[in-house]
């Protein structure tokens, strides 16, 4: 790693690079540039031309992950690989909770090491080793130690713990030997909606900050009563707090929604006041054109999760249609990048290739793909409505790549540098990640924590807590097979 050896007086830092992509896919790369960062303000103080230094560095706007869950370990380690969402969810509970700081730091460390500077966390599973407020504080401390700016959606749900149908009805359709175990483990009375909102507001009072944006996190319409969703809509309008939720991720959710909301599930969200510019909708894999038009009109953002949808057999989101209808779309990784490695650059490439069009038809431009990976995700995470371009006065979120390694076979000086980024860049090419003016990754290392030691400590605690006599993992495998039959027969739509 070679940066300018001369630094301007603190708090200013000057970085010289060979290639500046101030507006990837829209403006050509500038050969030779210097960027001066005001680290106290977290903004670009000055951006200008300079003679190429020969260090081979490429600088671009930083990346954001618009939908994730801060899971301590990859879910393929839980035996959940290649299962549909409806079964996969229960594998998340086959291991005990661990220290929330260690869990969050392990997850955040992996994310930033793979290029993400701003990360949206829908915190859908408490570790449960401390009370919820203390856990949120531990997560915030981990994020702050690493330097990643985080959106933290407090998970809210109050129905359908087993399937998308009434719980008593679902239990009656499970095998006799499984019914008691599932009921004991999953069928406990939910906290009243008002108490859930009070807890979310308490967490916000104690934890919300510029770098830790606390939001309301309804799990999804199928998991929330109308009372809870209406209360969230009302409170969001009163406070201005953002809302982050899942919508129409799977085919079974689409079928359920069509039965429950003949007027349309997106229309329902609109009618109760939840559909607004404060709302992020994760997935929308099965949204229809009229629903996309309504989402676009509202100003809500869609967070697509390409690898996750493929891994969980959920399908392919209509991203080109989303863009055509004027929707704001952001890129999420959902903790399930294609190679189970949190690589945001690979996720960008997959998203682009899958939706760019066929032949000479272009349904998704490279500029649109980059906006998904950068600009709109910043708003989802931090409420930032800025352009996510590299200009003086803009937030100093930068991704610095090793251009020598990335373009070692470059033959022609007029080749577009962004072509190489989009075609082949991965986490191994990352030289530096800068968020809000602060360097959080440099030379392949997370600077704020000892990631290797923390991850090892977390895994050691997890392994030590696993109880070999606990039958729940075996019961989850039985539940998996039972749910396959349940959904295949359409029983999730309820009885006649």
């Amino acid at each position: 790693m070679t940066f300018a050896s001369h630094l301007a007086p603190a708090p200013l830092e000057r970085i010289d690079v060979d290639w500046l992509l101030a507006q990837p896919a829209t403006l050509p790369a500038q050969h030779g540039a210097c960027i001066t960062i005001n680290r106290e303000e977290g903004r670009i103080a000055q951006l200008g031309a300079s003679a190429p230094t020969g260090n081979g560095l490429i600088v671009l706007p930083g990346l954001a992950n618009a939908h994730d869950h801060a899971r301590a370990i990859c879910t393929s380690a839980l035996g959940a690989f290649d299962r549909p969402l409806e079964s996969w969810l229960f594998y998340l509970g086959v291991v005990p909770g661990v220290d929330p700081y260690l869990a969050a730091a392990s997850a955040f460390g992996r994310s930033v090491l793979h290029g993400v500077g701003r990360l949206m966390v829908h915190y859908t599973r408490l570790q449960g080793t401390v009370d919820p407020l203390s856990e949120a504080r531990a997560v915030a401390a981990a994020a702050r130690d690493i330097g990643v700016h985080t959106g933290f959606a407090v998970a809210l749900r109050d129905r359908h713990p087993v399937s998308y149908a009434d719980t008593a009805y679902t239990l009656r359709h499970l095998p006799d030997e499984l019914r008691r175990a599932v009921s004991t483990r999953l069928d406990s009375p939910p906290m009243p909606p008002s108490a859930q909102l009070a807890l979310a507001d308490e967490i916000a009072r104690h934890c919300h900050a510029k770098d830790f944006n606390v939001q309301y996190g309804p799990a999804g319409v199928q998991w929330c009563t109308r009372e809870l969703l209406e209360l969230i809509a009302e409170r969001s309008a009163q406070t201005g707090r953002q809302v982050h939720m899942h919508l129409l991720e799977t085919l079974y959710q689409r079928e359920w929604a069509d039965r429950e909301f003949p007027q349309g599930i997106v229309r329902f969200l609109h009618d109760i006041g939840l559909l607004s510019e404060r709302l992020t909708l994760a997935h929308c894999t099965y949204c229809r054109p009229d629903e996309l038009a309504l989402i676009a009109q509202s100003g809500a953002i869609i967070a697509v999760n390409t690898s996750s949808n493929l891994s969980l057999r959920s399908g392919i989101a209509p991203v080109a249609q989303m863009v055509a209808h004027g929707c704001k779309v952001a890129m999420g990784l959902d903790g399930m990048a294609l190679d189970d490695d949190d690589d945001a650059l690979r996720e960008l490439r997959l998203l682009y290739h899958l939706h760019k069009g066929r032949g000479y038809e272009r349904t998704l431009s490279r500029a649109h793909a980059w906006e998904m990976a950068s600009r709109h995700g910043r708003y989802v995470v931090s409420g930032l409505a800025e352009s996510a371009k590299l200009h003086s006065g803009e937030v100093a979120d930068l991704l610095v790549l090793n251009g020598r390694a990335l373009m070692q076979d470059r033959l022609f000086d007029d080749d577009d540098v962004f072509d190489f980024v989009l075609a082949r860049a991965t986490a191994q090419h990352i030289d530096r990640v800068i968020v809000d003016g602060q360097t959080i990754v440099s030379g392949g290392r997370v600077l704020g924590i000892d990631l290797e030691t923390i991850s090892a400590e977390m895994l050691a605690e997890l392994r030590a807590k696993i109880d070999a006599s606990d039958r729940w993992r075996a019961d989850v495998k039985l539940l998996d097979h039972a749910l396959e039959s349940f959904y295949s027969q359409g029983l999730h739509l309820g009885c006649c």
Side-chain angles (χ1 to χ4, degrees), residues 65 86 140-141 151 194-195 222 228 238 244 277 290 303 308 372 376 379 424 439 447 479 493:
N65 178 354
E86 285 72 19
S194 59
Q222 64 277 1
L228 177 56
Q238 291 172 348
H244 193 99
E277 70 282 351
D290 61 306
S308 174
M372 294 175 192
H376 295 315
Y379 181 82
R424 58 174 73 167
T439 298
L447 300 184
L479 179 59
L493 301 178

Side-chain angles (χ1 to χ4, degrees), residues 24 44 46 77 108 119 195 235 280 282 340 414 427 444 462 474 481 485:
I44 298 172
Q46 190 174 4
F108 295 164
L119 175 65
R235 198 69 61 83
T280 297
D340 233 1
D414 59 350
L462 180 59
H481 292 297
S485 175

Side-chain angles (χ1 to χ4, degrees), residues 60 63 114-116 331 333 342-351 370 399 401 421-422 424-430:
L60 310 90
L63 298 175
H114 289 82
V116 170
M331 181 184 79
L333 276 77
D342 296 284
D343 195 319
L345 287 163
R346 274 200 177 107
E347 185 72 15
L348 168 63
R349 180 156 50 257
L350 179 65
L351 186 157
W370 187 263
L399 178 65
L401 302 179
V421 174
L422 197 54
R424 58 174 73 167
T426 67
Q428 69 177 346
H429 298 111
I430 294 172

Side-chain angles (χ1 to χ4, degrees), residues 75-289:
T75 58
S76 57
L78 305 176
F81 176 68
D82 206 25
R83 301 307 302 148
L85 175 81
E86 285 72 19
S87 296
W88 172 90
L89 285 170
F90 299 105
Y91 284 91
L92 303 181
V94 302
V95 293
V98 295
D99 180 278
Y101 178 90
L102 295 179
S106 297
F108 295 164
R110 290 197 311 269
S111 290
V112 301
L113 200 57
H114 289 82
V116 170
R118 293 183 187 264
L119 175 65
M120 184 65 224
V121 175
H122 196 179
Y123 204 70
T124 49
R125 191 211 169 183
L126 288 166
Q127 297 297 322
T129 60
V130 294
D131 65 272
L133 175 57
S134 296
E135 180 154 346
R137 282 173 160 161
V139 174
R144 200 154 288 132
D145 287 348
I146 290 171
V148 61
H149 281 227
T150 307
F152 184 82
V154 181
L156 308 165
R157 65 177 293 175
D158 63 346
R159 66 168 173 168
H160 296 166
V162 187
S163 77
Y164 304 142
D166 175 76
T167 301
Y169 165 86
T170 304
L171 291 173
R172 289 199 302 271
H173 286 84
L174 297 182
D176 292 343
E177 66 273 16
L178 186 59
R179 190 177 303 123
R180 181 180 177 84
V182 172
S183 177
T184 301
R185 187 83 177 211
L186 301 176
D187 190 21
S188 57
M191 185 185 295
S194 59
Q196 293 195 45
L197 266 291
L199 175 60
D201 288 338
E202 182 184 16
I203 289 173
R205 281 194 300 273
H206 290 278
C207 300
H208 183 84
K210 173 188 175 185
D211 57 357
F212 198 79
N213 180 23
V214 178
Q215 306 181 22
Y216 298 123
V221 179
Q222 64 277 1
W223 293 308
C224 297
T225 60
R226 179 175 184 132
E227 179 187 359
L228 177 56
L229 293 171
E230 287 180 337
L231 190 56
I232 294 168
E234 178 184 348
R235 198 69 61 83
S236 173
Q238 291 172 348
T239 64
R241 197 173 314 287
Q242 291 172 254
V243 181
H244 193 99
M245 69 182 293
H246 299 82
L247 182 71
L248 296 174
E249 181 175 356
T250 74
L251 175 62
Y252 303 116
Q253 291 176 12
R254 174 81 266 179
E255 292 172 345
W256 174 87
D258 287 346
R259 180 184 177 96
E260 293 292 315
F261 302 97
Q263 81 276 30
I265 191 171
V266 177
R267 174 58 62 181
F268 163 73
L269 295 176
H270 172 273
D271 291 346
I272 66 172
L274 196 54
L275 193 65
S276 77
E277 70 282 351
R278 296 182 301 279
L279 178 65
T280 297
L281 297 166
H283 298 287
C284 294
T285 316
Y286 289 90
C287 270
R288 295 172 178 144

